[in-house]
Amino acid sequence: MSAAVLVAIVAAVGNLLQGWDNATMAGGIIYIKREFKWENEPTMEGLTVAMSLIGATLITLCSGGISDWLGRRPMLIISSVFYILSGVLMLWSPNVYLLLFARLLDGFGIGLAVTYVPLYISEMSPPETRGLLSTLPQFTYTSGMFLSYCFVFFMSLMKSLSWRLMLGVLFGPSLVYFALTIFYLPESPRWLMSKGRMLEARQVLQRLRGKEDVSSEMALLVEGLEVGDETSIEEYIIGPPNELPDEEKQNTEKEEIKLFTPEGVSSVVALVSLDKVSVVLHLLLDTESKGSMHFPHLGSMFSVSGNQPKNEEWDEASNAKQDEDYASISETDDSLHSPLISRQTTSNYKMRQGSGHLQSGNAEGIGSGWQLAWKWKEGEEGFQRIYLHEDGVTRSWRDPLDGECTKAAALVSQPALYKKRLMDQHPVGPAMIHPSAAADKEPHWKYLFELGVKHALLVGMGIQMIQQFLGINAVLYYTPQILEQAGVQLLLSDMGISSESSSLLISAIMTLLMLPSVAIAMRLMDVSGRRSLLLNTNPVLTTTLIILVIVRVVHVGSIVKAAVSTASVILYSCFFAMGFGPIPNILCAEIFPTRVRGICIAICVLTFWICNIIVTYTLPVMLSSIGLAGVFSIYAMASIISWAFVYLKVPETKGMPLEVITEFFAMGAKQTTDAKNHGNQGV
């Protein structure tokens, strides 16, 4: 996984540049005001700072569809170009108008980085480490702020300094980021798959996973092209013959299913319980199955009859010898383990009534204990895909010789490439199509109105809105003031450090304290999970906000007030960095289907920027009307509401493949709608 880690680190440099720019602007605006004599023009000062917010909002508004059309990698390249241009212009900036334009371009770069770096990392990462790698942008962002504050602090100690140099230094690391995105970052394999570019997707996965056989993950990406219809949850119990209850053995003959893996074909006996949604699987080893004439390559999907029409859009991975046996393709390219349907003839293969065929990807599954399989069963069920997951057991469900039973949960639904209308044309085997025929050539806004997508959008937009209304901007904005009350600035002034330098040093110390918290979050993201971190860090945020209100209202000694306020601010900032700092962007990159992931995450990040602007510019108004205690009271109430929202609406996505997450959202949304419709009918 070293390749995936390095790719994530390179992509996260975009967020490091964002943190660097934010901190340098916080220090540079002090000296910009002096040069342009803005002491009595707060509007120009605010506009200069806000231009990056405006730019980020504008670029996010129009980038969603472009990302699903052009790809993820081009968006990161464009982001680095905007960073470079803004750095050059800020280094020059002969007048305020060019400075404002440079800040606008800088906002374009920030907007693309904030939106697509988490999405890109999420699509590239394996499920087991996706949380850790997706937290890297928050870590690099905080690191960028810390390094920038240190840089600006040392510059502020100079007798003569240039704010142009302070801001224009961004040009250097931006140039490095541009080179890395051009020469090192590959395109997202999920996006490539959505466009039918199978060979490129396989090559990227081989590089990221460090192995030749990526057939299971390729098959998973194929299934990610569509969200299953009529998804149901089933329960499986898997064990050797002697573990099957005697009363159930007599019913196994008619429910035989075959399980296909690269190691061989295993017979699976399924007993369907009619009184509850459960299936009992009985796993038997079929040692004669290796080299089956019907399945020469056991890593491929279910075979299709040879009279399937040729698809002119097949790429070179399937086009080389599409009319020959799949084994011949393997001889041509030993590293090609396609999850596609082999084009061999299976006319000799007959299925009897009451039997089915369950086929798996490779033995390693699709990550975090999940296994992808397919089955064909005559009757109403037809051809179905199955996402299997072990249910807290120590033995793998693929171990047929062990004497212990294994529980497994299963999501069963219609596969992505199955078309019922083709069934009449293909009486033998399931009717399948190639991914290129199902690929979206351009984004379709109609998908946003599907039940699962609408539900995910509600969660994504809600969590981004909550993040801003928790008051992080207000707390960080008033950190220097609170720490000044604690006597920190007085101590620094006694050391000969000016007030401007003191505030910069204090900000650097605050960001330094946040770094270990982000590191802890990286460790816990794939252990405790996203939802757990949100629910457990939120009460600390609420408590610290309430304490800040109390010390403002209750008359206490100045030393006690300053000490308690300082401790509250530090705790608030650290626990925010562990939970609501990184997790909203991580969740938004995980919960949407591949075909609309770019559009949906852009909508969520647009919500983030709009709420950011609202909170930033209503803060002075609220301060003048209800005071700092009143402001923190509102944020404390918002924190309580946010806990309820997370508890009721935000699911746990730890360790799940992205395609399984979207399946759960679609199923949950449909069940909710059906329940409402049933209730209305009852009334």
Side-chain angles (χ1 to χ4, degrees), residues 4-5 7-13 15 72 76 116-126 129-137 140 188 190 589 658:
V5 173
V7 165
I9 291 173
V10 170
V13 173
N15 294 82
R72 318 312 190 202
L76 302 186
Y116 296 108
V117 168
L119 183 152
Y120 177 82
I121 293 176
S122 181
E123 291 189 338
M124 304 289 280
S125 304
T129 58
R130 190 177 63 241
L132 183 150
L133 297 181
S134 296
T135 314
L136 272 174
T140 55
S188 162
R190 283 180 166 83
L658 299 180

PDB file of all heavy atoms in Angstrom, residues 4-5 7-13 15 72 76 116-126 129-137 140 188 190 589 658:
ATOM      1  N   ALA A   4      -0.235   3.815  -2.638  1.00  0.00           N
ATOM      2  CA  ALA A   4      -1.456   4.546  -2.298  1.00  0.00           C
ATOM      3  C   ALA A   4      -1.175   5.634  -1.269  1.00  0.00           C
ATOM      4  O   ALA A   4      -1.732   6.731  -1.340  1.00  0.00           O
ATOM      5  CB  ALA A   4      -2.520   3.577  -1.772  1.00  0.00           C
ATOM      6  N   VAL A   5      -0.302   5.334  -0.310  1.00  0.00           N
ATOM      7  CA  VAL A   5       0.051   6.331   0.710  1.00  0.00           C
ATOM      8  C   VAL A   5       0.773   7.514   0.079  1.00  0.00           C
ATOM      9  O   VAL A   5       0.462   8.680   0.372  1.00  0.00           O
ATOM     10  CB  VAL A   5       0.923   5.690   1.807  1.00  0.00           C
ATOM     11  CG1 VAL A   5       1.435   6.754   2.772  1.00  0.00           C
ATOM     12  CG2 VAL A   5       0.141   4.629   2.562  1.00  0.00           C
ATOM     13  N   VAL A   7       0.660   8.541  -3.022  1.00  0.00           N
ATOM     14  CA  VAL A   7      -0.284   9.295  -3.863  1.00  0.00           C
ATOM     15  C   VAL A   7      -1.156  10.199  -2.995  1.00  0.00           C
ATOM     16  O   VAL A   7      -1.403  11.368  -3.337  1.00  0.00           O
ATOM     17  CB  VAL A   7      -1.153   8.319  -4.686  1.00  0.00           C
ATOM     18  CG1 VAL A   7      -2.368   9.031  -5.270  1.00  0.00           C
ATOM     19  CG2 VAL A   7      -0.329   7.701  -5.812  1.00  0.00           C
ATOM     20  N   ALA A   8      -1.611   9.689  -1.852  1.00  0.00           N
ATOM     21  CA  ALA A   8      -2.431  10.503  -0.948  1.00  0.00           C
ATOM     22  C   ALA A   8      -1.640  11.681  -0.392  1.00  0.00           C
ATOM     23  O   ALA A   8      -2.167  12.802  -0.278  1.00  0.00           O
ATOM     24  CB  ALA A   8      -2.975   9.635   0.190  1.00  0.00           C
ATOM     25  N   ILE A   9      -0.375  11.449  -0.040  1.00  0.00           N
ATOM     26  CA  ILE A   9       0.458  12.527   0.491  1.00  0.00           C
ATOM     27  C   ILE A   9       0.659  13.616  -0.561  1.00  0.00           C
ATOM     28  O   ILE A   9       0.557  14.816  -0.270  1.00  0.00           O
ATOM     29  CB  ILE A   9       1.815  11.972   0.958  1.00  0.00           C
ATOM     30  CG1 ILE A   9       1.631  11.090   2.192  1.00  0.00           C
ATOM     31  CG2 ILE A   9       2.786  13.099   1.276  1.00  0.00           C
ATOM     32  CD1 ILE A   9       2.884  10.369   2.624  1.00  0.00           C
ATOM     33  N   VAL A  10       0.939  13.209  -1.796  1.00  0.00           N
ATOM     34  CA  VAL A  10       1.136  14.190  -2.871  1.00  0.00           C
ATOM     35  C   VAL A  10      -0.132  15.002  -3.099  1.00  0.00           C
ATOM     36  O   VAL A  10      -0.091  16.234  -3.231  1.00  0.00           O
ATOM     37  CB  VAL A  10       1.570  13.475  -4.161  1.00  0.00           C
ATOM     38  CG1 VAL A  10       1.544  14.446  -5.344  1.00  0.00           C
ATOM     39  CG2 VAL A  10       2.970  12.892  -4.001  1.00  0.00           C
ATOM     40  N   ALA A  11      -1.277  14.328  -3.150  1.00  0.00           N
ATOM     41  CA  ALA A  11      -2.537  15.046  -3.372  1.00  0.00           C
ATOM     42  C   ALA A  11      -2.825  16.024  -2.238  1.00  0.00           C
ATOM     43  O   ALA A  11      -3.330  17.130  -2.473  1.00  0.00           O
ATOM     44  CB  ALA A  11      -3.683  14.046  -3.510  1.00  0.00           C
ATOM     45  N   ALA A  12      -2.483  15.640  -1.002  1.00  0.00           N
ATOM     46  CA  ALA A  12      -2.774  16.484   0.167  1.00  0.00           C
ATOM     47  C   ALA A  12      -1.903  17.728   0.225  1.00  0.00           C
ATOM     48  O   ALA A  12      -2.173  18.622   1.037  1.00  0.00           O
ATOM     49  CB  ALA A  12      -2.610  15.675   1.451  1.00  0.00           C
ATOM     50  N   VAL A  13      -0.876  17.827  -0.623  1.00  0.00           N
ATOM     51  CA  VAL A  13      -0.074  19.057  -0.677  1.00  0.00           C
ATOM     52  C   VAL A  13      -0.953  20.249  -1.050  1.00  0.00           C
ATOM     53  O   VAL A  13      -0.698  21.386  -0.635  1.00  0.00           O
ATOM     54  CB  VAL A  13       1.095  18.895  -1.673  1.00  0.00           C
ATOM     55  CG1 VAL A  13       1.840  20.210  -1.861  1.00  0.00           C
ATOM     56  CG2 VAL A  13       2.060  17.820  -1.177  1.00  0.00           C
ATOM     57  N   ASN A  15      -3.846  20.936   0.080  1.00  0.00           N
ATOM     58  CA  ASN A  15      -4.392  21.495   1.319  1.00  0.00           C
ATOM     59  C   ASN A  15      -3.313  22.154   2.168  1.00  0.00           C
ATOM     60  O   ASN A  15      -3.593  23.088   2.923  1.00  0.00           O
ATOM     61  CB  ASN A  15      -5.082  20.394   2.109  1.00  0.00           C
ATOM     62  CG  ASN A  15      -6.307  19.860   1.408  1.00  0.00           C
ATOM     63  OD1 ASN A  15      -6.182  19.013   0.523  1.00  0.00           O
ATOM     64  ND2 ASN A  15      -7.475  20.348   1.764  1.00  0.00           N
ATOM     65  N   ARG A  72     -10.711  13.498 -11.996  1.00  0.00           N
ATOM     66  CA  ARG A  72     -10.242  14.084 -10.739  1.00  0.00           C
ATOM     67  C   ARG A  72      -8.860  14.711 -10.890  1.00  0.00           C
ATOM     68  O   ARG A  72      -8.588  15.793 -10.371  1.00  0.00           O
ATOM     69  CB  ARG A  72     -10.194  13.030  -9.637  1.00  0.00           C
ATOM     70  CG  ARG A  72     -11.362  12.060  -9.578  1.00  0.00           C
ATOM     71  CD  ARG A  72     -12.726  12.665  -9.632  1.00  0.00           C
ATOM     72  NE  ARG A  72     -13.754  11.678  -9.327  1.00  0.00           N
ATOM     73  CZ  ARG A  72     -15.020  11.801  -9.699  1.00  0.00           C
ATOM     74  NH1 ARG A  72     -15.410  12.862 -10.403  1.00  0.00           N
ATOM     75  NH2 ARG A  72     -15.906  10.874  -9.367  1.00  0.00           N
ATOM     76  N   LEU A  76      -7.011  18.680  -9.893  1.00  0.00           N
ATOM     77  CA  LEU A  76      -5.873  18.967  -9.024  1.00  0.00           C
ATOM     78  C   LEU A  76      -4.789  19.730  -9.783  1.00  0.00           C
ATOM     79  O   LEU A  76      -4.133  20.617  -9.221  1.00  0.00           O
ATOM     80  CB  LEU A  76      -5.304  17.664  -8.459  1.00  0.00           C
ATOM     81  CG  LEU A  76      -6.283  16.796  -7.647  1.00  0.00           C
ATOM     82  CD1 LEU A  76      -5.542  15.611  -7.034  1.00  0.00           C
ATOM     83  CD2 LEU A  76      -6.975  17.607  -6.570  1.00  0.00           C
ATOM     84  N   TYR A 116     -11.747  18.539  -4.143  1.00  0.00           N
ATOM     85  CA  TYR A 116     -11.379  17.325  -4.870  1.00  0.00           C
ATOM     86  C   TYR A 116     -10.201  16.547  -4.301  1.00  0.00           C
ATOM     87  O   TYR A 116     -10.003  15.394  -4.684  1.00  0.00           O
ATOM     88  CB  TYR A 116     -11.132  17.671  -6.345  1.00  0.00           C
ATOM     89  CG  TYR A 116     -12.393  18.173  -6.988  1.00  0.00           C
ATOM     90  CD1 TYR A 116     -12.541  19.515  -7.328  1.00  0.00           C
ATOM     91  CD2 TYR A 116     -13.470  17.320  -7.185  1.00  0.00           C
ATOM     92  CE1 TYR A 116     -13.722  19.980  -7.874  1.00  0.00           C
ATOM     93  CE2 TYR A 116     -14.653  17.782  -7.723  1.00  0.00           C
ATOM     94  CZ  TYR A 116     -14.776  19.107  -8.070  1.00  0.00           C
ATOM     95  OH  TYR A 116     -15.957  19.561  -8.583  1.00  0.00           O
ATOM     96  N   VAL A 117      -9.433  17.126  -3.408  1.00  0.00           N
ATOM     97  CA  VAL A 117      -8.367  16.328  -2.781  1.00  0.00           C
ATOM     98  C   VAL A 117      -8.972  15.211  -1.920  1.00  0.00           C
ATOM     99  O   VAL A 117      -8.573  14.041  -2.056  1.00  0.00           O
ATOM    100  CB  VAL A 117      -7.412  17.219  -1.960  1.00  0.00           C
ATOM    101  CG1 VAL A 117      -6.501  16.361  -1.098  1.00  0.00           C
ATOM    102  CG2 VAL A 117      -6.573  18.084  -2.897  1.00  0.00           C
ATOM    103  N   PRO A 118      -9.950  15.495  -1.028  1.00  0.00           N
ATOM    104  CA  PRO A 118     -10.553  14.389  -0.268  1.00  0.00           C
ATOM    105  C   PRO A 118     -11.243  13.362  -1.166  1.00  0.00           C
ATOM    106  O   PRO A 118     -11.168  12.155  -0.904  1.00  0.00           O
ATOM    107  CB  PRO A 118     -11.564  15.094   0.646  1.00  0.00           C
ATOM    108  CG  PRO A 118     -11.090  16.505   0.742  1.00  0.00           C
ATOM    109  CD  PRO A 118     -10.492  16.803  -0.592  1.00  0.00           C
ATOM    110  N   LEU A 119     -11.920  13.834  -2.205  1.00  0.00           N
ATOM    111  CA  LEU A 119     -12.593  12.920  -3.124  1.00  0.00           C
ATOM    112  C   LEU A 119     -11.580  12.017  -3.818  1.00  0.00           C
ATOM    113  O   LEU A 119     -11.761  10.790  -3.901  1.00  0.00           O
ATOM    114  CB  LEU A 119     -13.389  13.725  -4.154  1.00  0.00           C
ATOM    115  CG  LEU A 119     -14.235  12.957  -5.180  1.00  0.00           C
ATOM    116  CD1 LEU A 119     -15.408  13.816  -5.616  1.00  0.00           C
ATOM    117  CD2 LEU A 119     -13.427  12.563  -6.410  1.00  0.00           C
ATOM    118  N   TYR A 120     -10.504  12.598  -4.316  1.00  0.00           N
ATOM    119  CA  TYR A 120      -9.468  11.843  -5.028  1.00  0.00           C
ATOM    120  C   TYR A 120      -8.838  10.795  -4.116  1.00  0.00           C
ATOM    121  O   TYR A 120      -8.699   9.623  -4.494  1.00  0.00           O
ATOM    122  CB  TYR A 120      -8.408  12.818  -5.543  1.00  0.00           C
ATOM    123  CG  TYR A 120      -7.239  12.164  -6.241  1.00  0.00           C
ATOM    124  CD1 TYR A 120      -7.337  11.782  -7.571  1.00  0.00           C
ATOM    125  CD2 TYR A 120      -6.040  11.945  -5.578  1.00  0.00           C
ATOM    126  CE1 TYR A 120      -6.261  11.189  -8.226  1.00  0.00           C
ATOM    127  CE2 TYR A 120      -4.963  11.357  -6.209  1.00  0.00           C
ATOM    128  CZ  TYR A 120      -5.078  10.981  -7.539  1.00  0.00           C
ATOM    129  OH  TYR A 120      -4.012  10.387  -8.162  1.00  0.00           O
ATOM    130  N   ILE A 121      -8.475  11.190  -2.901  1.00  0.00           N
ATOM    131  CA  ILE A 121      -7.853  10.249  -1.970  1.00  0.00           C
ATOM    132  C   ILE A 121      -8.828   9.133  -1.607  1.00  0.00           C
ATOM    133  O   ILE A 121      -8.445   7.961  -1.517  1.00  0.00           O
ATOM    134  CB  ILE A 121      -7.384  10.989  -0.703  1.00  0.00           C
ATOM    135  CG1 ILE A 121      -6.241  11.953  -1.048  1.00  0.00           C
ATOM    136  CG2 ILE A 121      -6.931  10.006   0.365  1.00  0.00           C
ATOM    137  CD1 ILE A 121      -5.778  12.802   0.115  1.00  0.00           C
ATOM    138  N   SER A 122     -10.089   9.467  -1.418  1.00  0.00           N
ATOM    139  CA  SER A 122     -11.086   8.467  -1.067  1.00  0.00           C
ATOM    140  C   SER A 122     -11.239   7.424  -2.163  1.00  0.00           C
ATOM    141  O   SER A 122     -11.367   6.224  -1.879  1.00  0.00           O
ATOM    142  CB  SER A 122     -12.429   9.150  -0.788  1.00  0.00           C
ATOM    143  OG  SER A 122     -13.410   8.214  -0.426  1.00  0.00           O
ATOM    144  N   GLU A 123     -11.234   7.856  -3.412  1.00  0.00           N
ATOM    145  CA  GLU A 123     -11.399   6.929  -4.526  1.00  0.00           C
ATOM    146  C   GLU A 123     -10.147   6.095  -4.785  1.00  0.00           C
ATOM    147  O   GLU A 123     -10.236   5.032  -5.411  1.00  0.00           O
ATOM    148  CB  GLU A 123     -11.787   7.689  -5.795  1.00  0.00           C
ATOM    149  CG  GLU A 123     -13.174   8.279  -5.749  1.00  0.00           C
ATOM    150  CD  GLU A 123     -13.634   8.833  -7.084  1.00  0.00           C
ATOM    151  OE1 GLU A 123     -12.773   9.145  -7.937  1.00  0.00           O
ATOM    152  OE2 GLU A 123     -14.852   8.948  -7.285  1.00  0.00           O
ATOM    153  N   MET A 124      -9.001   6.538  -4.334  1.00  0.00           N
ATOM    154  CA  MET A 124      -7.752   5.814  -4.562  1.00  0.00           C
ATOM    155  C   MET A 124      -7.410   4.854  -3.427  1.00  0.00           C
ATOM    156  O   MET A 124      -6.604   3.945  -3.615  1.00  0.00           O
ATOM    157  CB  MET A 124      -6.590   6.808  -4.722  1.00  0.00           C
ATOM    158  CG  MET A 124      -6.779   7.840  -5.812  1.00  0.00           C
ATOM    159  SD  MET A 124      -6.683   7.164  -7.460  1.00  0.00           S
ATOM    160  CE  MET A 124      -4.924   7.050  -7.681  1.00  0.00           C
ATOM    161  N   SER A 125      -7.992   5.034  -2.255  1.00  0.00           N
ATOM    162  CA  SER A 125      -7.537   4.323  -1.059  1.00  0.00           C
ATOM    163  C   SER A 125      -8.285   3.011  -0.869  1.00  0.00           C
ATOM    164  O   SER A 125      -9.477   2.915  -1.180  1.00  0.00           O
ATOM    165  CB  SER A 125      -7.747   5.200   0.179  1.00  0.00           C
ATOM    166  OG  SER A 125      -7.101   6.443   0.037  1.00  0.00           O
ATOM    167  N   PRO A 126      -7.632   2.000  -0.300  1.00  0.00           N
ATOM    168  CA  PRO A 126      -8.326   0.770   0.088  1.00  0.00           C
ATOM    169  C   PRO A 126      -9.214   1.025   1.295  1.00  0.00           C
ATOM    170  O   PRO A 126      -8.930   1.927   2.097  1.00  0.00           O
ATOM    171  CB  PRO A 126      -7.176  -0.189   0.427  1.00  0.00           C
ATOM    172  CG  PRO A 126      -6.034   0.696   0.795  1.00  0.00           C
ATOM    173  CD  PRO A 126      -6.178   1.935  -0.026  1.00  0.00           C
ATOM    174  N   THR A 129      -7.692   1.539   5.032  1.00  0.00           N
ATOM    175  CA  THR A 129      -6.921   2.728   5.413  1.00  0.00           C
ATOM    176  C   THR A 129      -7.488   4.010   4.822  1.00  0.00           C
ATOM    177  O   THR A 129      -6.830   5.037   4.855  1.00  0.00           O
ATOM    178  CB  THR A 129      -5.455   2.578   4.960  1.00  0.00           C
ATOM    179  OG1 THR A 129      -5.407   2.374   3.540  1.00  0.00           O
ATOM    180  CG2 THR A 129      -4.787   1.409   5.659  1.00  0.00           C
ATOM    181  N   ARG A 130      -8.705   3.957   4.298  1.00  0.00           N
ATOM    182  CA  ARG A 130      -9.271   5.140   3.653  1.00  0.00           C
ATOM    183  C   ARG A 130      -9.462   6.282   4.645  1.00  0.00           C
ATOM    184  O   ARG A 130      -9.236   7.454   4.310  1.00  0.00           O
ATOM    185  CB  ARG A 130     -10.600   4.785   2.986  1.00  0.00           C
ATOM    186  CG  ARG A 130     -11.133   5.904   2.079  1.00  0.00           C
ATOM    187  CD  ARG A 130     -12.411   5.500   1.381  1.00  0.00           C
ATOM    188  NE  ARG A 130     -13.482   5.240   2.316  1.00  0.00           N
ATOM    189  CZ  ARG A 130     -14.097   4.070   2.437  1.00  0.00           C
ATOM    190  NH1 ARG A 130     -13.739   3.051   1.694  1.00  0.00           N
ATOM    191  NH2 ARG A 130     -15.066   3.915   3.322  1.00  0.00           N
ATOM    192  N   GLY A 131      -9.871   5.970   5.868  1.00  0.00           N
ATOM    193  CA  GLY A 131     -10.059   7.017   6.870  1.00  0.00           C
ATOM    194  C   GLY A 131      -8.757   7.711   7.211  1.00  0.00           C
ATOM    195  O   GLY A 131      -8.690   8.940   7.288  1.00  0.00           O
ATOM    196  N   LEU A 132      -7.707   6.924   7.431  1.00  0.00           N
ATOM    197  CA  LEU A 132      -6.398   7.503   7.757  1.00  0.00           C
ATOM    198  C   LEU A 132      -5.897   8.395   6.634  1.00  0.00           C
ATOM    199  O   LEU A 132      -5.473   9.537   6.867  1.00  0.00           O
ATOM    200  CB  LEU A 132      -5.406   6.373   8.029  1.00  0.00           C
ATOM    201  CG  LEU A 132      -3.985   6.763   8.463  1.00  0.00           C
ATOM    202  CD1 LEU A 132      -3.399   5.697   9.367  1.00  0.00           C
ATOM    203  CD2 LEU A 132      -3.061   6.969   7.261  1.00  0.00           C
ATOM    204  N   LEU A 133      -5.934   7.869   5.400  1.00  0.00           N
ATOM    205  CA  LEU A 133      -5.413   8.640   4.267  1.00  0.00           C
ATOM    206  C   LEU A 133      -6.288   9.860   3.972  1.00  0.00           C
ATOM    207  O   LEU A 133      -5.770  10.900   3.559  1.00  0.00           O
ATOM    208  CB  LEU A 133      -5.310   7.744   3.031  1.00  0.00           C
ATOM    209  CG  LEU A 133      -4.340   6.563   3.144  1.00  0.00           C
ATOM    210  CD1 LEU A 133      -4.302   5.769   1.839  1.00  0.00           C
ATOM    211  CD2 LEU A 133      -2.938   7.041   3.500  1.00  0.00           C
ATOM    212  N   SER A 134      -7.582   9.745   4.190  1.00  0.00           N
ATOM    213  CA  SER A 134      -8.475  10.878   3.929  1.00  0.00           C
ATOM    214  C   SER A 134      -8.344  11.977   4.976  1.00  0.00           C
ATOM    215  O   SER A 134      -8.827  13.096   4.763  1.00  0.00           O
ATOM    216  CB  SER A 134      -9.932  10.393   3.864  1.00  0.00           C
ATOM    217  OG  SER A 134     -10.124   9.506   2.786  1.00  0.00           O
ATOM    218  N   THR A 135      -7.718  11.668   6.113  1.00  0.00           N
ATOM    219  CA  THR A 135      -7.464  12.691   7.132  1.00  0.00           C
ATOM    220  C   THR A 135      -6.183  13.458   6.836  1.00  0.00           C
ATOM    221  O   THR A 135      -5.928  14.510   7.446  1.00  0.00           O
ATOM    222  CB  THR A 135      -7.370  12.044   8.525  1.00  0.00           C
ATOM    223  OG1 THR A 135      -8.441  11.123   8.695  1.00  0.00           O
ATOM    224  CG2 THR A 135      -7.484  13.075   9.641  1.00  0.00           C
ATOM    225  N   LEU A 136      -5.379  12.966   5.900  1.00  0.00           N
ATOM    226  CA  LEU A 136      -4.139  13.658   5.539  1.00  0.00           C
ATOM    227  C   LEU A 136      -4.359  15.113   5.128  1.00  0.00           C
ATOM    228  O   LEU A 136      -3.559  15.983   5.500  1.00  0.00           O
ATOM    229  CB  LEU A 136      -3.426  12.903   4.417  1.00  0.00           C
ATOM    230  CG  LEU A 136      -2.465  11.786   4.835  1.00  0.00           C
ATOM    231  CD1 LEU A 136      -1.953  11.052   3.606  1.00  0.00           C
ATOM    232  CD2 LEU A 136      -1.302  12.361   5.627  1.00  0.00           C
ATOM    233  N   PRO A 137      -5.412  15.450   4.329  1.00  0.00           N
ATOM    234  CA  PRO A 137      -5.617  16.864   3.979  1.00  0.00           C
ATOM    235  C   PRO A 137      -5.757  17.774   5.190  1.00  0.00           C
ATOM    236  O   PRO A 137      -5.240  18.894   5.183  1.00  0.00           O
ATOM    237  CB  PRO A 137      -6.908  16.827   3.147  1.00  0.00           C
ATOM    238  CG  PRO A 137      -6.927  15.471   2.540  1.00  0.00           C
ATOM    239  CD  PRO A 137      -6.331  14.576   3.582  1.00  0.00           C
ATOM    240  N   THR A 140      -2.167  18.101   6.654  1.00  0.00           N
ATOM    241  CA  THR A 140      -1.303  18.980   5.857  1.00  0.00           C
ATOM    242  C   THR A 140      -1.786  20.430   5.913  1.00  0.00           C
ATOM    243  O   THR A 140      -0.970  21.354   5.890  1.00  0.00           O
ATOM    244  CB  THR A 140      -1.247  18.504   4.395  1.00  0.00           C
ATOM    245  OG1 THR A 140      -2.579  18.411   3.862  1.00  0.00           O
ATOM    246  CG2 THR A 140      -0.577  17.149   4.291  1.00  0.00           C
ATOM    247  N   SER A 188      -8.078   8.690 -11.109  1.00  0.00           N
ATOM    248  CA  SER A 188      -8.833   7.812 -10.222  1.00  0.00           C
ATOM    249  C   SER A 188      -9.355   6.604 -10.995  1.00  0.00           C
ATOM    250  O   SER A 188      -9.998   6.753 -12.037  1.00  0.00           O
ATOM    251  CB  SER A 188     -10.005   8.580  -9.616  1.00  0.00           C
ATOM    252  OG  SER A 188     -10.970   7.701  -9.091  1.00  0.00           O
ATOM    253  N   ARG A 190     -11.789   4.675 -10.260  1.00  0.00           N
ATOM    254  CA  ARG A 190     -13.256   4.665 -10.288  1.00  0.00           C
ATOM    255  C   ARG A 190     -13.783   5.581 -11.383  1.00  0.00           C
ATOM    256  O   ARG A 190     -14.765   5.249 -12.052  1.00  0.00           O
ATOM    257  CB  ARG A 190     -13.801   5.074  -8.919  1.00  0.00           C
ATOM    258  CG  ARG A 190     -13.718   3.955  -7.892  1.00  0.00           C
ATOM    259  CD  ARG A 190     -14.266   4.365  -6.546  1.00  0.00           C
ATOM    260  NE  ARG A 190     -14.472   3.213  -5.677  1.00  0.00           N
ATOM    261  CZ  ARG A 190     -13.528   2.643  -4.943  1.00  0.00           C
ATOM    262  NH1 ARG A 190     -12.299   3.150  -4.962  1.00  0.00           N
ATOM    263  NH2 ARG A 190     -13.791   1.589  -4.201  1.00  0.00           N
ATOM    264  N   ALA A 589     -16.923  12.596   0.609  1.00  0.00           N
ATOM    265  CA  ALA A 589     -16.197  11.889  -0.445  1.00  0.00           C
ATOM    266  C   ALA A 589     -16.543  10.408  -0.490  1.00  0.00           C
ATOM    267  O   ALA A 589     -16.135   9.715  -1.423  1.00  0.00           O
ATOM    268  CB  ALA A 589     -14.692  12.057  -0.243  1.00  0.00           C
ATOM    269  N   LEU A 658     -16.615   1.906  -1.049  1.00  0.00           N
ATOM    270  CA  LEU A 658     -17.493   3.020  -1.405  1.00  0.00           C
ATOM    271  C   LEU A 658     -18.789   2.528  -2.035  1.00  0.00           C
ATOM    272  O   LEU A 658     -19.860   3.097  -1.808  1.00  0.00           O
ATOM    273  CB  LEU A 658     -16.770   3.968  -2.370  1.00  0.00           C
ATOM    274  CG  LEU A 658     -15.498   4.634  -1.846  1.00  0.00           C
ATOM    275  CD1 LEU A 658     -14.900   5.546  -2.909  1.00  0.00           C
ATOM    276  CD2 LEU A 658     -15.771   5.413  -0.563  1.00  0.00           C
TER     277      LEU A 658
END
